[in-house]
Amino acid sequence: MPNPASNHRDLALDDIPADPPIRFAEQALLGAIILEPLRIKTLGPLGPEHFSLAMHGALFAAMSALTPPAPEIHTREPVWITALLDHARPHARGLTASYLHTLTDACPNPSHAPAYAQMILANRARLTIRSAAERLVQSASDPGLPNPAAHVLDRADAVTALLDDLAGLFPSHPGSLPRTVLPPPPTRDTETGTDAAGEEQLLLSTAAARPACLPEMRWLRPEDFTVPLHGVLYRCMASLAYRGDPVDAVTVLWEAQHHGLLASGTTAREVLDMLATPAGSPEHWGEQILQRALLHHAHTTGLHIHAFTDDPANTLHQLITGSRRALADLGAVRARWQHATRPAAARQPRPQPAPASRAGPPAPRPATPAGSSRASR
């Protein structure tokens, strides 16, 4: 009956979550080794740390540390079970002899032990990818990092290296991409704070006053801006610069009219006022905007990978493939960030070697003795 002294209702039997499939795979594997101890030599890189339950890990550690008995002794005497209990109980207080019998009953076929081991390894790999994705999300949303872009890219490299290692352990197979419904991207306002809109406006006004920088700032895209209005104005400036037209507040306003900006409720005076207060350098403000876009994409990538790991319908191969696709989207923004932040000397195009001159008379061909070709026959 409900407890009147508590605001929480008592848990019913239906409220207890069912054991996940990995629990039965672990029981089947341990039962296979109890029934046929020599099966432990066929399990590959499986270790105690790969099990979801501490008691299962302690029991597998005992199995790995002990020498399996000879088959003829194992069939006559319970020396294997006794040795396992004595070795594992100090690390798993709840382990009993009856639970070992439960494990043997849970094993359909001891010869399938390698398949059970692959299931356990795949589950641990899924949890490892999830932890790496969580660290990526945390670093991308931490405003207190001294160098957030470098830290986030290190986290992304760690996820990439993890996926490469797992792809080598688990052979790929043909299959579809993950069908997981991905969460929406995080709101830019909650990520960037209150300085984003002001810095974007400073970029626009400074670039309008000093437009010579625009051809060199192709690494910045309109979609990098947190305010869509600012992105449209930057696209107007970039279009004017690309065509070689003059760039100032008035020409940008005229171009914005052609982009339909004034029809959306923004007035001409608001655009002119937005472009009237230049300060600093456009490159500096552009890097700030691009860094925020990089962190936003990293945050979104981490959330997508985490969603893949939470979907039990995804095989490990689908999980690795989907995660690599998500990281590839981040890699496009990363390439632009690296281009924007590398030293100015490295941005200069390498001088091409001058083509060889064709002026002057052709070089004389060496004389061939007459009839030499015929004489050689």
Side-chain angles (χ1 to χ4, degrees), residues 34-371:
I34 294 175
L35 292 171
E36 299 180 9
L38 293 179
R39 294 284 180 185
I40 197 172
K41 298 181 179 180
T42 65
L43 304 183
L46 187 67
E49 68 278 4
H50 297 133
F51 288 79
S52 62
L53 287 182
M55 182 171 62
H56 289 172
L59 182 57
F60 186 80
M63 294 174 173
S64 303
L66 297 174
T67 302
E72 58 273 10
I73 298 178
H74 181 61
T75 57
R76 296 195 313 265
E77 303 177 12
V79 294
W80 181 235
I81 293 179
T82 303
L84 290 178
L85 288 173
D86 294 341
H87 196 280
R89 268 177 176 168
H91 309 284
R93 298 290 183 179
L95 186 63
T96 61
S98 62
Y99 187 68
L100 296 187
H101 289 289
T102 301
L103 295 177
T104 58
D105 292 339
C107 179
N109 191 332
S111 64
H112 296 167
Y116 306 146
Q118 282 293 104
M119 298 175 191
I120 298 172
L121 288 171
N123 182 73
R124 176 53 55 180
R126 179 186 299 270
L127 297 178
T128 305
I129 296 174
R130 178 188 298 174
S131 298
E134 290 174 349
R135 289 192 292 269
L136 177 60
V137 170
Q138 182 181 7
S139 61
S141 55
D142 186 358
L145 294 176
N147 191 350
H151 191 78
V152 163
L153 293 179
D154 288 342
R155 292 295 191 189
D157 289 340
V159 179
T160 301
L162 174 62
L163 295 175
D164 291 342
D165 293 341
L166 293 177
L169 293 176
F170 297 89
S172 61
H173 58 83
S176 60
L177 291 172
R179 295 184 175 89
T180 305
V181 178
L182 297 176
T187 305
R188 298 292 298 271
D189 295 339
T190 60
E191 292 180 328
T192 58
T194 59
D195 295 335
E199 292 180 355
E200 292 175 1
Q201 186 170 343
L202 285 172
L203 166 69
L204 295 173
S205 58
T206 308
R210 292 189 285 275
C213 64
L214 289 173
E216 301 297 330
M217 292 180 59
R218 295 182 179 179
W219 39 264
L220 189 63
R221 304 280 177 82
E223 59 268 21
D224 297 332
F225 290 74
T226 61
V227 181
L229 170 63
H230 297 165
V232 175
L233 288 176
Y234 181 76
R235 179 182 288 111
C236 295
M237 290 185 182
S239 299
L240 291 171
Y242 179 78
R243 299 196 303 261
D245 295 339
V247 179
D248 58 27
V250 175
T251 59
V252 172
L253 173 62
W254 190 257
E255 185 73 14
Q257 176 180 242
H258 294 162
H259 283 75
L261 185 61
L262 300 183
S264 62
T266 304
T267 65
R269 174 50 57 187
E270 290 174 348
V271 174
L272 294 176
D273 291 343
M274 196 177 300
L275 305 178
T277 56
S281 67
E283 292 84 358
H284 170 74
W285 303 124
E287 290 180 10
Q288 297 298 314
I289 296 170
L290 183 56
Q291 178 175 259
R292 275 191 291 270
L294 175 69
L295 299 180
H296 172 75
H297 279 79
H299 194 173
T300 304
T301 299
L303 292 177
H304 288 181
I305 296 176
H306 196 279
F308 291 146
T309 62
D310 283 343
D311 188 355
N314 290 328
T315 65
L316 186 62
H317 176 65
Q318 288 177 310
L319 175 57
I320 293 176
T321 303
S323 300
R324 282 177 165 173
R325 287 285 185 93
L327 288 168
D329 295 336
L330 175 61
V333 186
R334 176 182 190 161
R336 294 194 285 120
W337 168 254
Q338 291 175 338
H339 180 78
T341 56
R342 65 184 178 181
R347 303 180 193 175
Q348 300 297 330
R350 295 182 179 180
Q352 299 294 330
S357 176
R358 296 183 179 180
R365 299 177 59 184
T368 303

Side-chain angles (χ1 to χ4, degrees), residues 1-10:
M1 61 179 295
N3 184 2
S6 174
N7 294 327
H8 303 283
R9 64 183 182 87
D10 294 336

